[in-house]
Amino acid sequence: MRYFIFYITILLLLACKPQVKYCKSETPDERLNAYNDVLNELIETRFYNFYLGAKADELPFTDAIQGGNNAAERRELLKQRNKLFGDSSRFGILYLDTALRPCFSPVSVYLAAGNPSSREFLQAVSSFSNQPQSVIDSLNQLQQIYTAADFKSCFAMIRSIREIDTTRFSIGRIRLSAICFNKQQTR
């Protein structure tokens, strides 16, 4: 009888734990899948929960940038995230900017700076190629192959910067570079 109660308790605990829902792109275009993965990662982890709209202001975070420091805060964030998941009536808009505006400096600038962030950037760039300037040149080319309508997110509407909509809240604006893959095409 004790084991039965133990198993029931474990099952109830597991059943009550919120599950993470993943936003999957359903296109055979691997490049577009990579862009969608990057876009969804940015929306969920780098935009300070703006995608949650007014609910973001209600979250009891002691550190909003980290998305919650304790288990209760992380559970509440996951709960709000899962409520929004796929509910396009509650989505904010992320504007895709495809205007050509290179923003990365030549390798020589990062080498001369010598600060930790410059070294870290060059190390990341060098992990893709032994010619870091070619990777930087690629990063300076904006993604212009796909339109905003090609992107898929389970948390935001993606619109062109030319389609400003004042009836919904804005998550922000994003520009995406051309994708760079490593030699093995695995990263």
Side-chain angles (χ1 to χ4, degrees):
M1 183 68 173
R2 241 186 305 168
Y3 293 116
F4 177 74
I5 293 173
F6 175 75
Y7 288 126
I8 295 298
T9 305
I10 295 296
L11 285 174
L12 284 173
L13 287 174
L14 290 175
C16 294
K17 182 179 177 186
Q19 298 296 315
V20 176
K21 297 178 182 178
Y22 293 100
C23 195
K24 290 289 183 188
S25 177
E26 298 174 5
T27 176
D29 185 340
E30 287 304 315
R31 192 169 289 270
L32 182 55
N33 282 331
Y35 274 120
N36 278 320
D37 288 346
V38 166
L39 184 70
N40 283 301
E41 161 94 18
L42 290 171
I43 290 169
E44 288 185 74
T45 63
R46 302 289 183 210
F47 290 171
Y48 308 110
N49 301 325
F50 288 160
Y51 72 100
L52 295 173
K55 289 291 183 187
D57 295 335
E58 298 171 16
L59 294 173
F61 290 166
T62 54
D63 185 359
I65 293 174
Q66 293 295 322
N69 284 332
N70 62 45
E73 290 174 352
R74 288 189 295 277
R75 272 193 310 276
E76 183 60 27
L77 174 62
L78 183 58
K79 180 178 157 187
Q80 293 305 321
R81 178 194 173 279
N82 285 346
K83 281 183 182 178
L84 179 64
F85 187 90
D87 183 0
S88 60
S89 68
R90 295 179 47 215
F91 286 177
I93 299 176
L94 179 62
Y95 292 102
L96 180 65
D97 186 352
T98 53
L100 185 59
R101 294 184 196 130
C103 58
F104 291 100
S105 301
V107 169
S108 58
V109 172
Y110 297 103
L111 289 171
N115 59 45
S117 60
S118 293
R119 284 193 298 273
E120 188 177 324
F121 175 73
L122 284 177
Q123 184 178 13
V125 165
S126 297
S127 73
F128 286 89
S129 171
N130 58 359
Q131 298 176 337
Q133 187 59 54
S134 66
V135 175
I136 289 174
D137 291 343
S138 180
L139 290 172
N140 278 328
Q141 297 173 15
L142 257 56
Q143 179 294 121
Q144 294 180 319
I145 297 169
Y146 304 106
T147 66
D150 294 322
F151 288 92
K152 179 184 184 314
S153 172
C154 299
F155 304 103
M157 292 181 167
I158 313 303
R159 298 286 186 259
S160 168
I161 193 70
R162 294 174 187 89
E163 302 173 22
I164 301 295
D165 181 350
T166 57
T167 63
R168 291 187 181 256
F169 69 95
S170 171
I171 296 171
R173 179 179 78 173
I174 188 169
R175 283 182 239 143
L176 299 169
S177 72
I179 284 187
C180 299
F181 288 100
N182 64 2
K183 292 175 188 171
Q184 297 79 18
Q185 300 289 305
T186 57
R187 289 184 51 217

